[in-house]
Amino acid sequence: FFLQTDEERRQGLPVVMPVFDRNTCSIPKSQLSFIDYFIIDMFDAWDAFADLPNLMEHLNNNIKYWKGLDGRNLRVLRPPPE
């Protein structure tokens, strides 16, 4: 995941994919980008074809979860224990 960015830095090259920088990576932002780019349209098509409200509910819950972490400026998979 981070090896390309590490190698670019080691060689003094520009970082091509800053999202893969281990120093600044935000897992919630990465997940939201993946969902937005790949998942939403695919799930919408499946739902239109087969009426899958449970699938869409899970997708919406996942989006809310990652937005919640991102909104708290967390960069990890799970929030810290309260």
Side-chain angles (χ1 to χ4, degrees):
F1 193 72
F2 300 120
L3 293 179
Q4 178 177 333
T5 303
D6 292 345
E7 185 64 16
E8 289 166 347
R9 281 219 165 81
R10 191 182 70 71
Q11 293 187 26
L13 299 169
V15 173
V16 175
M17 297 171 64
V19 120
F20 298 133
D21 181 349
R22 72 176 68 244
N23 300 316
T24 59
C25 178
S26 166
I27 293 173
K29 281 187 189 327
S30 297
Q31 291 299 308
L32 288 166
S33 294
F34 180 80
I35 290 168
D36 187 47
Y37 191 76
F38 291 106
I39 303 301
I40 290 177
D41 289 341
M42 180 175 55
F43 278 36
D44 282 342
W46 285 346
D47 185 47
F49 178 73
D51 189 28
L52 301 165
N54 289 341
L55 180 72
M56 301 310 289
E57 183 179 349
H58 285 294
L59 174 60
N60 288 326
N61 288 340
N62 272 284
I63 291 169
K64 288 177 191 172
Y65 176 80
W66 292 117
K67 281 184 177 182
L69 291 182
D70 188 44
R72 294 170 59 188
N73 293 318
L74 297 174
R75 298 180 354 183
V76 295
L77 290 172
R78 292 176 188 85
E82 294 185 19

